[in-house]
Amino acid sequence: MKIMAVASVGGHWVELLRLVPAFEGNEIIFASTKQSVAETVALSKFHRIPDINRNEKLKLPNAIYKIFSLINSIRPNVVISTGALPGLISIFAGKMYGAKTIWVDSIANVEELSLSGKVASVFADRTYTQWPDLAKKKCLFHGNVLS
């Protein structure tokens, strides 16, 4: 199975790397917003994707085009993301190209899901929170990346 794992740099990337043992035995393709993190997944394919946040609306069309093009060229079976907006776009692109999609909301979101997590819970195949109090019908809790 071909899994595309996408996250922005920083805590999102660290959380994604904590999930890597769950992908064992599959082809994993990573994507993140800075080339410098490629060395943390040196044995896997890595792609740099545009860094964007919700305050950078002018960058959005370019980011969407590049992420959709990347997902279209890879055609993963599964797209998983721990955030943030580039990950959400990847989840949406994966869904459009027929991949199963998984969103894992950041452990930093203690009181409510992130905005991206709320959007992802509408169309992703699975959405997970890392806090039991935030679990709902469409947002599951099965532990966190620290335990």
Side-chain angles (χ1 to χ4, degrees):
M1 182 177 335
K2 194 184 297 184
I3 299 173
M4 184 153 186
V6 183
S8 299
V9 295
H12 298 292
W13 183 253
V14 171
E15 291 181 45
L16 186 68
L17 294 182
R18 302 277 312 230
L19 297 172
V20 167
F23 310 145
E24 189 175 313
N26 296 289
E27 179 185 359
I28 307 169
I29 301 122
F30 290 92
S32 187
T33 53
K34 286 202 175 179
Q35 187 66 39
S36 61
V37 299
E39 65 189 40
T40 61
V41 291
L43 300 177
S44 298
K45 293 178 186 171
F46 177 86
H47 298 272
R48 186 186 163 281
I49 56 175
D51 192 7
I52 183 171
N53 63 56
R54 63 182 170 193
N55 297 320
E56 299 174 310
K57 294 174 180 60
L58 293 177
K59 293 182 177 179
L60 188 59
N62 181 53
I64 289 172
Y65 173 76
K66 289 188 173 179
I67 292 170
F68 267 72
S69 295
L70 179 62
I71 301 278
N72 184 36
S73 69
I74 293 172
R75 294 291 179 138
N77 303 100
V78 176
V79 176
I80 183 167
S81 180
T82 52
L85 183 54
L88 179 63
I89 296 169
S90 299
I91 292 285
F92 189 70
K95 190 72 176 174
M96 297 300 290
Y97 288 112
K100 294 293 182 188
T101 54
I102 304 167
W103 176 268
V104 180
D105 210 51
S106 174
I107 197 166
N109 302 313
V110 177
E111 296 186 7
E112 64 178 327
L113 287 180
S114 66
L115 178 57
S116 294
K118 291 174 184 173
V119 173
S121 69
V122 173
F123 62 84
D125 292 296
R126 294 288 170 114
T127 303
Y128 293 96
T129 176
Q130 298 188 55
W131 296 99
D133 294 346
L134 299 181
K136 298 177 184 171
K137 184 177 179 183
K138 292 205 61 161
C139 185
L140 307 172
F141 171 77
H142 287 285
N144 62 58
V145 296
L146 300 178
S147 56

